[in-house]
Amino acid sequence: GENVEQHPSTLSVQEGDSAVIKCTYSDSASNYFPWYKQELGKRPQLIIDIRSNVGEKKDQRIAVTLNKTAKHFSLHITETQPEDSAVYFCAASRGSSASKIIFGSGTRLSIRP
Amino acid sequence: SQTIHQWPATLVQPVGSPLSLECTVEGTSNPNLYWYRQAAGRGLQLLFYSVGIGQISSEVPQNLSASRPQDRQFILSSKKLLLSDSGFYLCAWSVLPSGRVSYNEQFFGPGTRLTVL
C-alpha cells in the first residue's frame, strides 16, 4: 500500500524567512497530493493541493511542487509570519471516490519573531 | 455549502465504559466518510472509512467499531474503553468530483477530544 514519508518533523525559521517541507510517496498510481495545516487544538484544514498533471501550484505565499518521476512533493512557505506556526501534514491519494488519503507524520513549524 | 458536525466536543470516560461518537454531514449526498484518531502530538491514524450506507472498512484491529446507519451519519463506538483510546477523534468527508470540489478533497469535522481515565 501507499506510504508517505515527511521531513523534517520539526522546523524553526525566523519570521520573514522561507520554510520548506518535503514528502515522498511510494505508490506510483497516486495522483492527488493535498497539504493540511493544523493549529493547536483544532482540526486539520486543507490549505493547498496539487494533482499529478501539474508540476507546481501557487497560492499567495504558499506553493507546492511535485516531481512524479522521483515521487516527491514539497510545500514552500515564503515570507513566513507568526500565524504560520502550526503542524503541517502532507498526503497522497489515488483520487478515486473509494480511495483513502495516506497522511505523512507531520511537521511542526515554529516561526521565531 | 457543506458542513460537518461532531459531538460531543469533549468527553471524559472511565476505563471499561462504552463510547458513542457521532458525525453528521450536511449539504452533500453520498459522501465518503472517515474516522481518524490523533494521539497527543502525533499524526492522523485512519480507523474506519465508508463509501456508502452499511459499508465499513476497518484499518486497524482494535476495540472500536463504526456504523453508517444513514447516508450522512457516521458513528464510532466501543463496548469497553481502554486508556489507549484517549485522543482527538476526527470525522472527515469527501465526495466524487462535482463542480468546484476536487476529487477526494477531505474536510474534517471539529473533532471530539476523548480522555479515558
Side-chain angles (χ1 to χ4, degrees):
Chain A
E2 174 70 282
N3 183 49
V4 176
E5 294 194 358
Q6 183 172 348
H7 301 280
S9 57
T10 60
L11 179 61
S12 178
V13 302
Q14 193 75 33
E15 182 178 350
D17 288 350
S18 296
V20 180
I21 301 170
K22 298 182 179 181
C23 291
T24 60
Y25 62 99
S26 60
D27 185 355
S28 57
S30 291
N31 58 6
Y32 175 64
F33 307 91
W35 286 87
Y36 288 81
K37 175 184 181 182
Q38 187 178 27
E39 296 177 349
L40 189 62
K42 297 191 176 180
R43 75 184 90 180
Q45 298 270 22
L46 179 66
I47 56 171
I48 195 167
D49 56 23
I50 190 167
R51 298 188 195 182
S52 59
N53 56 348
V54 298
E56 184 174 359
K57 183 176 178 181
K58 191 173 182 180
D59 183 3
Q60 299 181 353
R61 294 186 299 107
I62 61 174
V64 290
T65 58
L66 172 64
N67 183 328
K68 282 215 75 180
T69 303
K71 290 192 281 188
H72 63 71
F73 57 114
S74 301
L75 176 72
H76 304 251
I77 306 174
T78 59
E79 300 172 18
T80 53
Q81 299 171 5
E83 55 264 36
D84 295 329
S85 293
V87 177
Y88 292 81
F89 292 97
C90 64
S93 167
R94 291 188 175 189
S96 69
S97 63
S99 68
K100 303 172 289 186
I101 284 182
I102 307 300
F103 286 89
S105 53
T107 295
R108 185 173 299 277
L109 175 62
S110 301
I111 307 301
R112 304 190 303 270
Chain B
S1 64
Q2 302 91 352
T3 56
I4 179 168
H5 304 278
Q6 284 187 249
W7 63 89
T10 59
L11 191 59
V12 180
Q13 292 283 99
V15 169
S17 63
L19 174 74
S20 181
L21 303 181
E22 189 164 342
C23 169
T24 58
V25 181
E26 296 178 356
T28 187
S29 296
N30 196 30
N32 290 349
L33 296 173
Y34 307 83
W35 278 113
Y36 291 88
R37 177 169 61 199
Q38 189 175 35
R42 305 296 295 273
L44 299 160
Q45 180 187 29
L46 179 63
L47 301 175
F48 301 94
Y49 70 99
S50 171
V51 299
I53 296 175
Q55 300 178 62
I56 309 294
S57 296
S58 175
E59 287 298 296
V60 292
Q62 59 208 326
N63 67 323
L64 299 172
S65 61
S67 62
R68 186 168 177 175
Q70 301 180 43
D71 181 44
R72 288 171 286 179
Q73 183 185 30
F74 205 22
I75 297 172
L76 183 69
S77 304
S78 175
K79 293 182 179 179
K80 289 186 177 181
L81 284 169
L82 306 172
L83 285 174
S84 57
D85 291 324
S86 294
F88 191 38
Y89 286 81
L90 291 154
C91 180
W93 68 274
S94 67
V95 294
L96 281 167
S98 174
R100 69 170 183 84
V101 179
S102 309
Y103 49 69
N104 226 3
E105 278 185 4
Q106 276 194 17
F107 300 95
F108 287 88
T112 295
R113 195 163 302 279
L114 171 66
T115 303
V116 182
L117 301 175

